[in-house]
Amino acid sequence: MLAAVVGAGAGLFSVLQGAIARTMQRVLFDLPLGARLSAVPALPMTVLLVLPMGGAVLAAFSWATRARTRRMVDAVEANALHGGRMSVRDSLIISGQTILSNGFGASVGLEAAYAQLGGAVASVVGNAFTLRRADLRNLVGAGTGAAIAAAFGAPLAGAFYAFEIVIGAYTPTALAPVIAAALAGTLVAQQLGIHPYVIDAASTMATESHHYLIYAALGAICAVIGIALMRAVGFVEAGTRRLRLPDWARPAVGGMLLIPIALMSPQVLSAGHGALHADLAVGAPLLFILTIFLAKCAASIVSLGFGFRGGLFFASLFLGTLVGHLFAGSMAAVVGHDVIDPRNAALVGMAALAVAVVGGPMTMVMLVLEATHDFAATGAVLAAVLVSSTIVREAFGYSFSTWRLHLRGETIKSARDVGWVKTLTAGRMMRRETKVMRADLTMAEFRRQVPLGATSRAVLVDDAARYAGIVQTPTAYAEGHDPQAPVGGLAINKEAALAPAMDITEVMARFDASGADELAVLDDDRRVLGLLSESFVRRRYAEELEKAQRELFGER
């Protein structure tokens, strides 16, 4: 019931956000009623000045909301690191940035805004009902899936988006809420006049067995293009920061750079909804398709690299159709006749490139199935997306959302819940009641203060109370030691130590590297905070891992 309510709310917000962005485009670019920005044949230079103006407005909005100084969390990061907890304020800011970017014509999609508010609705409702961590994560996934389902009119695609991209796994406990939310979101969107995402791309050529190998090759090409596109966005973003452009100037400069690209063709602007349908329906020369492909890549890279906010979901769908057309057309030019159906190739390329960039192979398969109702084309898409996703996973390891997190310093590669790993730090696990002794004590004095059997080890410090190693009590009682020699001469692990902020995986790696059974936890001044044993750390990790697996599969 909660998921259905969340799904309805997510669907409503998706419709509102889309309506706001399209209204902005219609007013700013003087579009006819019902026209799509990327489908208009040409735009004058005076109108395209809206692009840098939009960059300036976005910068002002970000400054006013302090967005540039805040670390805002999206649905994927929330589920992976924070147990599904999302900030309403941050979500509204992200949504506002995305709507402004798309509404002023930048080459970004609204999918990030849809998913953000859908997840935020779920997080607010889940926290109000004090759901446990696993259930809250499922509800956040359901909310984002419902938002995508409403935007595309595709409940199955929305449901698999939730499973693959936001929750990070197919789980029995998530099945009912995710499906309920996706259906509710789609129903609300349809009641508000949003039509299902339908592609009229009837094939004129039967799909034969050898075609699947050809489509698999297309999937491999899309994987390479997707990796290059994601790396290019990161490269340009890093480059703009090295140029020391002020944050307020970056989107405006990006808008200026978009003008010559848009003069070439307005198809590069916005998400590309209108352009995608036009290119699927009407054949075009290969040189023209290649030009649009390169221009759209450049526009998306510039938009995201220079600070516009949005996603690559729909841009990757559009780019994929162009790659499919180029692939089929190139083969036909070499052989002298069509080897595969160009429209099928466009659909396959659309899904395969989207999988490379966004992730979620079954999400794209379901999107094509629900958009075309063509099972033969869906089979070809399945072959290509599996190849594409496998290559990207093995060669790159990130989707676009997790790649951006990686560039920011996070280590997550999917929405699987690793937040519990981050919370198990050395500072939380250490034992504070640790025997601390001066390293310059004589062996005889150490034996007097620490009787054999009283403790297995003592931590040594120097005259400034800084860590000087660990001495094992039985070693100090071994024969052959000079009673007047300082006990510090027996210290081990003088350099190997732990910081209190280290998470459990870093702690285990430090134990593996040092070969120690116990390590001291030190502050920034190398003063002793506590002691941690390897056996305890391994046991805690196993306990938490088992607990996470029980929650994942719904065991109580």
Side-chain angles (χ1 to χ4, degrees):
M1 291 175 64
L2 282 179
V5 172
V6 165
L12 175 61
F13 279 120
S14 290
V15 172
L16 290 175
Q17 290 175 101
I20 293 171
R22 287 191 296 272
T23 301
M24 288 179 61
Q25 291 176 4
R26 187 165 64 248
V27 172
L28 293 171
F29 292 92
D30 194 24
L31 301 178
L33 188 63
R36 292 278 191 175
L37 177 58
S38 60
V40 299
L43 289 170
M45 176 70 177
T46 53
V47 172
L48 290 175
L49 291 175
V50 165
L51 291 165
M53 182 177 72
V57 172
L58 175 64
F61 175 82
S62 298
W63 175 83
T65 56
R66 301 294 187 268
R68 298 295 181 188
T69 59
R70 298 166 65 90
R71 178 175 174 176
M72 293 179 289
V73 175
D74 64 11
V76 173
E77 185 179 3
N79 261 15
L81 298 178
H82 307 293
R85 288 176 171 78
M86 299 176 66
S87 164
V88 174
R89 173 180 167 82
D90 288 357
S91 296
L92 290 173
I93 292 173
I94 291 173
S95 174
Q97 290 176 323
T98 307
I99 291 172
L100 287 173
S101 299
N102 182 273
F104 276 94
S107 184
V108 295
L110 284 170
E111 294 77 20
Y114 297 152
Q116 187 71 29
L117 283 195
V121 170
S123 184
V124 168
V125 172
N127 281 314
F129 282 84
T130 61
L131 297 186
R132 67 194 187 101
R133 185 185 184 95
D135 291 333
L136 182 59
R137 293 183 70 255
N138 288 341
L139 194 62
V140 168
T144 56
I148 297 300
F152 288 95
L156 289 178
F160 277 98
Y161 182 94
F163 287 128
E164 295 182 309
I165 297 172
V166 183
I167 298 175
Y170 304 98
T171 65
T173 55
L175 181 62
V178 166
I179 295 295
L183 290 173
T186 305
L187 179 61
V188 167
Q190 290 178 356
Q191 292 299 313
L192 293 173
I194 302 300
H195 301 292
Y197 184 70
V198 176
I199 297 176
D200 182 14
S203 176
T204 58
M205 182 185 298
T207 302
E208 301 180 16
S209 299
H210 65 281
H211 289 161
Y212 289 97
L213 295 177
I214 299 174
Y215 288 131
L218 175 57
I221 293 171
C222 288
V224 174
I225 293 173
I227 293 172
L229 184 62
M230 289 185 282
R231 285 195 175 276
V233 170
F235 176 79
V236 171
E237 188 174 20
T240 61
R241 298 192 183 282
R242 284 197 296 270
L243 291 175
R244 300 186 183 280
L245 286 174
D247 282 346
W248 61 265
R250 289 174 61 228
V253 172
M256 290 295 295
L257 294 175
L258 287 174
I259 291 178
I261 305 175
L263 282 173
M264 185 185 307
S265 173
Q267 286 193 339
V268 305
L269 297 179
S270 189
H273 287 257
L276 184 146
H277 285 277
D279 289 340
L280 278 174
V282 181
L286 291 183
L287 182 59
F288 174 77
I289 293 175
L290 178 61
T291 302
I292 297 301
F293 171 76
L294 296 175
K296 180 63 176 178
C297 285
S300 296
I301 292 168
V302 167
S303 296
L304 292 168
F306 278 82
F308 284 100
R309 188 92 189 202
L312 277 177
F313 190 157
F314 208 95
S316 63
L317 293 176
F318 175 41
L319 289 170
T321 64
L322 300 177
V323 173
H325 276 306
L326 288 170
F327 182 76
S330 300
M331 292 185 67
V334 172
V335 177
H337 60 83
D338 285 341
V339 179
I340 54 177
D341 185 274
R343 292 191 176 187
N344 271 359
L347 289 173
V348 171
M350 177 183 80
L353 186 55
V355 164
V357 173
V358 180
M362 290 306 298
T363 302
M364 301 309 164
V365 170
M366 291 299 110
L367 181 61
V368 170
L369 178 60
E370 291 179 295
T372 65
H373 301 161
D374 187 336
F375 283 91
T378 303
V381 166
L382 182 60
V385 299
L386 291 177
V387 171
S388 177
S389 63
T390 300
I391 291 175
V392 172
R393 183 176 64 251
E394 296 298 328
F396 188 57
Y398 298 94
S399 65
F400 182 63
S401 59
T402 56
W403 173 239
R404 301 296 293 274
L405 292 174
H406 169 75
L407 294 177
R408 208 172 66 187
E410 293 291 350
T411 58
I412 66 171
K413 291 192 174 185
S414 75
R416 289 182 180 274
D417 187 12
V418 296
W420 61 270
V421 172
K422 299 292 185 181
T423 61
L424 280 178
T425 62
R428 289 187 61 185
M429 294 186 292
M430 68 183 182
R431 295 195 305 276
R432 298 181 183 274
E433 59 280 3
T434 302
K435 189 74 172 179
V436 178
M437 310 288 292
R438 288 279 298 271
D440 56 2
L441 283 179
T442 64
M443 203 78 66
E445 181 63 19
F446 178 85
R447 291 171 179 172
R448 189 186 68 79
Q449 294 188 27
V450 185
L452 188 63
T455 182
S456 60
R457 104 290 303 150
V459 178
L460 302 180
V461 296
D462 60 17
D463 54 1
R466 290 187 293 266
Y467 175 69
I470 296 174
V471 62
Q472 295 174 335
T473 305
T475 304
Y477 278 85
E479 296 182 0
H481 295 312
D482 181 1
Q484 300 306 312
V487 74
L490 303 179
I492 59 175
N493 302 324
K494 294 181 179 180
E495 299 302 324
L498 302 170
M502 284 183 172
D503 65 47
I504 193 166
T505 55
E506 295 173 311
V507 169
M508 290 192 296
R510 183 63 58 88
F511 274 113
D512 290 338
S514 66
D517 295 324
E518 293 174 309
L519 289 175
V521 181
L522 312 178
D523 64 14
D524 293 338
D525 296 324
R526 290 188 63 80
R527 287 178 168 77
V528 179
L529 300 176
L531 199 65
L532 198 53
S533 69
E534 182 183 22
S535 59
F536 177 78
V537 170
R538 303 281 181 189
R539 186 169 67 252
R540 287 288 289 121
Y541 182 81
E543 290 172 353
E544 291 296 327
L545 183 61
E546 183 181 0
K547 178 182 175 183
Q549 289 174 338
R550 284 201 308 268
E551 289 189 345
L552 181 66
F553 292 101
E555 296 178 12
R556 298 293 193 269

